[in-house]
């Protein structure tokens, strides 16, 4: 694994327009940095990323299997009681899952460690699937990079191939909070994939969704929603006014309800509890677990809210000293403690490696770099290649 | 002949509504039952499958059934005592009527999600006497296992009236982006 500086393509402002990203002269495309790329060997990708990610997915499924029948676990994850049976049914029915991104700490040697699993509302999908691949092709054409490079990137093809297996009949609705370009862009891309897969689609905001007398969800044309692809976290849905209608709504959700168990950072102590010392796992404990006391007393750990996003409210303690603390709106959430596996340092950047799983198959990589140890909203996407 | 499945401001008064769909198209496996008991008579179906598919059809019933402005118009199509008030009002506050559910059709693993998709059926008092879907597609008069035109097995179009909106979105306003 190397970080290799490279010439940026000369037409970045035009590319920003093409992909509907912000562009600032002198700074480039917002959230995107192609002044360098990461290079991996085939062996690193196959044996250190793809295999472990798919194995971790299997372990996650075992956690779900255990959690759905375990009241104590469900309470700990903060899942409201009225959702328990609904989640269990969705798992037992085999409701299909589409996308997830495992965030890993990996430096090119030794096992990648799972930091968290963004199993419900993962983003940077478009950058990973489309922009990164286009960069590879054009950078080869421009002779900026060797022409025998490859990329782990079958995200688009896999999504388009798998969607027909969801047996979506009628219109598939796509909902998120349209105030955020990132959310809208990611979901818009998924909608494009769905169209390519031959589905009829319609987009709306979460706040647009209505309810009828029979407890069915409706769109702005009073059409009943039967399939809803959402970029809106399950924990929010469960906490909001219309959440109570969800279990009887007869909607096929993408991601399915059982993903609520995996997108919660409570997954990490559950994984550790079941598969302690697995090479791709870090020790992790619920903060209110007696075992967490000894772990914290040892002085080095990361404290994360169970439900937070984009690097908010994370604390890193090293040898008894807080070396990093981010603020954010999730300060009231219950927390977990996790072992510290600092992101590696390449040219003063800290790459976080995301492995994309589409229908549980590892088909893509995204690297986001931040200048801090915790990857937040200031991170930039950096493309990758496979060589040798 | 097109039959609206919902009321906006105008209501149909026409009594003749069922047109025969004559053209041949591929047939697919389906099961038609008048009630749960009949369904349970099928050795390959469990009671749980029968109950859930009946419930699924029943849940769709009010939303997808043909709607009429008067009980008489409805009865003209479906027969005396075969109609019921629909849980809707016209925009001017009038009552709405719809046929009672006469049965339900389970596709043969038509749907995903590990269950068989189900939809309500209606029975006309005139013309061809078999079962019809909410979209007015004939599916024959055989109960139990049968073959129906594949177009009849697609989900009926749901159009309904919305009671309220805005019950989702508050967390996004508080926390920001939902992306991870």
């Amino acid at each position: 694994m190397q970080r290799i500086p490279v010439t940026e393509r000369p037409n970045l402002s035009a590319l920003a327009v093409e992909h509907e990203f912000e562009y600032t002269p002198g700074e480039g495309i917002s959230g995107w940095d192609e002044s360098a790329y990461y290079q991996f060997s085939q062996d690193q990708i196959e044996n250190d990323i793809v295999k472990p990610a798919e194995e971790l997915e299997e372990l996650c499924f075992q956690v779900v299997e255990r959690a759905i029948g375990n009241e104590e676990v469900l309470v700990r994850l903060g899942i409201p009681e009225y959702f328990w049976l609904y989640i269990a049914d969705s798992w037992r029915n085999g409701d299909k899952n589409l996308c997830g991104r495992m965030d890993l700490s990996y430096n090119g040697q030794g096992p990648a460690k799972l930091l968290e699993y963004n199993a419900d509302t993962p983003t940077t999908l478009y950058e990973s699937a489309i922009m990164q691949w286009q960069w590879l092709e054009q950078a080869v054409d421009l002779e900026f990079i060797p022409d025998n490079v490859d990329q782990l990137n079958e995200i688009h093809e896999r999504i388009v191939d798998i969607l027909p297996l969801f047996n979506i009949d009628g219109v598939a609705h796509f909902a998120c909070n349209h105030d955020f370009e990132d959310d809208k862009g990611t979901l818009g891309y998924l909608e494009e994939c769905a169209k390519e897969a031959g589905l009829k689609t319609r987009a709306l905001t979460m706040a647009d969704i209505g309810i009828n007398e029979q407890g069915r969800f409706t769109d702005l044309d009073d059409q009943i929603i039967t399939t809803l692809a959402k970029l809106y976290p399950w924990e929010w849905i469960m906490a909001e006014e219309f959440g109570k209608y969800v279990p009887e709504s007869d909607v096929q959700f993408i991601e399915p309800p059982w993903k609520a168990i995996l997108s919660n950072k409570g997954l990490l102590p559950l994984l550790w509890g079941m598969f302690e010392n697995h090479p791709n796992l870090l020790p992790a404990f619920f903060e209110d677990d007696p075992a967490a006391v000894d772990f914290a007393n040892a002085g080095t750990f990361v404290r994360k809210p169970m439900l937070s996003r984009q690097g908010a409210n994370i604390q890193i303690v090293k040898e008894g000293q807080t070396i990093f603390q981010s603020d954010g709106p999730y300060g009231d959430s219950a927390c977990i403690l996790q072992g510290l596996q600092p992101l590696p340092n390449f040219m003063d950047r800290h790459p976080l490696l995301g492995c994309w799983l589409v229908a549980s198959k590892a088909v893509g990589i995204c690297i986001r770099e931040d200048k801090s140890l915790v990857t937040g909203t200031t991170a930039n996407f950096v493309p990758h290649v496979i060589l040798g | 002949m097109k039959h609206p499945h919902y009321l906006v401001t105008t209501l149909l008064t026409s009594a003749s509504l069922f047109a025969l769909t004559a053209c041949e198209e591929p047939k697919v496996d389906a099961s038609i039952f008048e009630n749960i008991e009949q369904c349970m008579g099928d050795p390959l179906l469990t009671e749980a499958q029968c109950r859930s598919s009946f419930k699924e059809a029943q849940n769709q019933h009010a939303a997808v059934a043909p709607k009429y402005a008067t009980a008489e118009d409805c009865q003209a199509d479906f027969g005396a005592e075969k109609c019921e008030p629909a849980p809707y009002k016209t925009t001017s506050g009038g009552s709405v009527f719809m046929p009672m559910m006469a049965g339900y059709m389970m596709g043969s693993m038509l749907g995903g999600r590990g269950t068989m998709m189900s939809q309500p059926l209606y029975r006309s008092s005139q013309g061809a006497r078999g079962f019809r879907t909410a979209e007015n597609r004939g599916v024959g008069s055989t109960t139990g296992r049968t073959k129906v035109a594949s177009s009849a097995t697609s989900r009926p179009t749901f159009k309904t009236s919305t009671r309220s909106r805005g019950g989702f979105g508050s967390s996004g306003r508080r926390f920001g982006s939902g992306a991870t």
Side-chain angles (χ1 to χ4, degrees), chain B residues 56-116:
Chain B
E56 190 184 342
Q58 204 176 34
N59 286 345
Q60 298 168 35
H61 165 53
V64 303
K67 307 295 190 310
Y68 295 85
T70 68
E72 290 71 30
D73 286 342
C74 180
Q75 286 165 4
D77 283 340
F78 293 94
E81 295 175 25
K82 298 287 188 219
C83 289
E84 61 187 356
Y88 302 106
K89 295 277 181 228
T90 65
T91 45
S92 53
S95 297
V96 177
F97 297 87
M98 63 184 183
M100 292 172 183
M101 187 169 129
Y104 63 108
M105 177 169 68
M106 297 164 73
S108 172
M109 304 312 281
L110 295 171
R113 301 197 282 157
T115 54
M116 287 177 261

Side-chain angles (χ1 to χ4, degrees), chain A residues 78-80 82-83 86-87 120-121 175-177 205-207 209 217 228-247 249 251-257 259-260 263 307 309, chain B residues 166-172 175 178:
Chain A
I79 294 173
Y82 75 95
F83 249 73
Y86 179 60
I87 287 176
D120 184 21
T121 56
C176 68
N177 182 344
T205 74
M206 285 300 292
I209 293 174
F217 291 117
L228 187 67
K230 58 171 195 58
L231 201 118
Y232 200 78
W234 270 113
E235 70 265 19
W236 292 0
I237 289 176
M238 292 187 283
E240 293 181 1
E241 186 197 339
F242 278 3
K244 61 177 179 284
Y245 299 117
V246 167
S249 65
V251 171
Q252 176 182 21
F253 282 96
I254 301 171
E255 301 296 319
K259 281 280 186 103
S263 60
L307 302 168
R309 44 203 72 246
Chain B
F168 285 130
S170 58
S171 307
F175 293 114

Side-chain angles (χ1 to χ4, degrees), chain A residues 40-55 104 106 108-112 152 278-280 365:
Chain A
F40 299 89
S41 69
Q42 189 70 38
D43 178 63
Q44 285 173 327
I45 294 293
E46 283 296 320
N47 295 313
D48 292 351
I49 308 298
V50 169
K51 273 187 199 161
E54 290 180 356
E55 186 181 321
L104 304 164
Y106 180 64
Q109 289 152 10
L152 181 67
H278 187 284
N280 300 112
I365 281 182

Side-chain angles (χ1 to χ4, degrees), chain A residues 121 183 211 218 222-223 240 245, chain B residues 158 160 162-163 169 171 177-178:
Chain A
T121 56
D183 300 25
I211 190 86
T218 61
D222 288 342
Q223 292 278 355
E240 293 181 1
Y245 299 117
Chain B
F158 294 96
T160 182
T162 297
R163 194 180 76 212
S171 307
S177 165

Side-chain angles (χ1 to χ4, degrees), chain B:
Chain B
M1 185 165 315
K2 210 162 155 65
H3 180 61
H5 302 286
Y6 62 96
L7 295 154
V8 190
T9 49
T10 55
L11 286 161
L12 60 158
T13 51
S14 160
S16 61
L17 91 117
F18 285 140
L20 291 170
T21 45
C23 51
E24 283 299 314
E25 59 168 312
K27 300 259 183 178
V28 296
D29 292 322
S31 297
I32 292 175
F33 302 110
E34 288 170 317
N35 49 48
I36 294 171
E37 290 68 33
Q38 224 174 47
C39 174
M40 281 161 57
D42 186 323
L44 292 182
L45 293 170
T46 65
E47 178 173 349
Q49 283 174 319
C50 287
R51 289 196 184 282
S52 73
S53 56
F54 175 76
K55 190 178 157 215
E56 190 184 342
Q58 204 176 34
N59 286 345
Q60 298 168 35
H61 165 53
V64 303
K67 307 295 190 310
Y68 295 85
T70 68
E72 290 71 30
D73 286 342
C74 180
Q75 286 165 4
D77 283 340
F78 293 94
E81 295 175 25
K82 298 287 188 219
C83 289
E84 61 187 356
Y88 302 106
K89 295 277 181 228
T90 65
T91 45
S92 53
S95 297
V96 177
F97 297 87
M98 63 184 183
M100 292 172 183
M101 187 169 129
Y104 63 108
M105 177 169 68
M106 297 164 73
S108 172
M109 304 312 281
L110 295 171
R113 301 197 282 157
T115 54
M116 287 177 261
M117 212 174 272
S118 175
Q119 62 172 294
L121 295 177
Y122 304 94
R123 194 146 39 178
S124 168
S125 67
Q126 54 170 17
R129 286 191 161 254
F131 293 100
R132 297 192 162 264
T133 68
E135 308 230 297
N136 193 21
R137 293 180 188 277
V139 291
S141 50
T142 313
T143 55
R145 290 174 185 239
T146 179
K147 296 232 179 233
V148 303
S150 64
S151 63
T153 60
S154 63
R155 251 185 204 264
T157 311
F158 294 96
K159 186 102 180 188
T160 182
S161 59
T162 297
R163 194 180 76 212
S164 67
R165 294 190 193 278
F168 285 130
S170 58
S171 307
R173 286 190 287 279
R174 178 171 164 214
F175 293 114
S177 165
T180 55

Side-chain angles (χ1 to χ4, degrees), chain A residues 13-236:
Chain A
S13 66
L15 287 165
V17 172
E18 177 189 337
H19 297 295
E20 297 177 30
F21 275 65
E22 271 178 51
Y23 178 84
T24 313
E27 289 176 29
I29 298 174
S30 167
W32 174 264
D33 182 358
E34 60 176 69
S35 66
Y37 64 94
Y38 282 86
Q39 179 175 309
F40 299 89
S41 69
Q42 189 70 38
D43 178 63
Q44 285 173 327
I45 294 293
E46 283 296 320
N47 295 313
D48 292 351
I49 308 298
V50 169
K51 273 187 199 161
E54 290 180 356
E55 186 181 321
L56 286 169
E57 178 86 335
E58 282 301 315
L59 303 186
C60 287
F61 287 172
Q62 292 182 47
V63 168
V64 176
E65 187 75 43
R66 174 179 168 232
I68 55 169
N70 189 319
E71 205 169 295
E72 189 194 329
V73 169
L74 292 165
V75 169
R76 222 170 199 158
L77 295 176
I79 294 173
E81 195 173 341
Y82 75 95
F83 249 73
W84 293 355
L85 190 60
Y86 179 60
I87 287 176
D89 283 346
S90 97
W91 174 252
R92 294 193 186 110
N93 284 341
D95 285 3
K96 289 184 168 29
N97 63 311
L98 187 62
C99 287
R101 197 191 72 237
M102 285 182 186
D103 282 346
L104 304 164
S105 176
Y106 180 64
N107 63 9
Q109 289 152 10
K113 299 285 187 183
L114 178 69
L115 300 182
E116 60 187 59
Y117 188 9
N118 301 295
D120 184 21
T121 56
T123 187
T124 66
L125 184 62
Y126 181 76
E127 295 94 315
S128 304
I130 302 298
M131 286 175 69
Q132 176 173 230
W133 182 256
Q134 185 197 46
W135 168 82
L136 182 88
E137 290 189 325
Q138 294 182 351
V140 166
D141 286 348
L142 291 162
E143 299 181 359
F144 292 170
I145 59 175
D147 64 2
N148 54 341
V149 293
D150 197 0
Q151 195 171 77
L152 181 67
N153 199 341
E154 291 164 26
I155 302 170
H156 184 87
E157 295 80 355
R158 175 96 172 143
I159 293 173
V160 172
D161 286 350
I162 215 79
L163 273 173
L165 304 183
F166 279 63
N167 288 311
I168 294 165
D169 201 0
V171 177
H173 286 81
F174 287 75
C176 68
N177 182 344
H178 285 194
D179 294 342
F180 293 91
E181 284 303 321
D182 189 19
D183 300 25
K184 206 175 153 185
T186 298
L187 197 69
Y189 169 60
L190 263 188
E191 189 179 348
E192 287 303 314
C193 291
K195 284 180 182 159
E196 192 176 324
L199 297 177
K200 278 178 276 181
T201 69
R202 191 167 298 169
L204 73 171
T205 74
M206 285 300 292
D208 286 340
I209 293 174
I211 190 86
N212 76 2
E213 291 293 340
Q214 286 73 41
R216 309 289 304 269
F217 291 117
T218 61
D219 69 11
L220 288 171
D221 292 326
D222 288 342
Q223 292 278 355
I224 288 182
I225 295 172
T226 52
T227 297
L228 187 67
K230 58 171 195 58
L231 201 118
Y232 200 78
W234 270 113
E235 70 265 19
W236 292 0

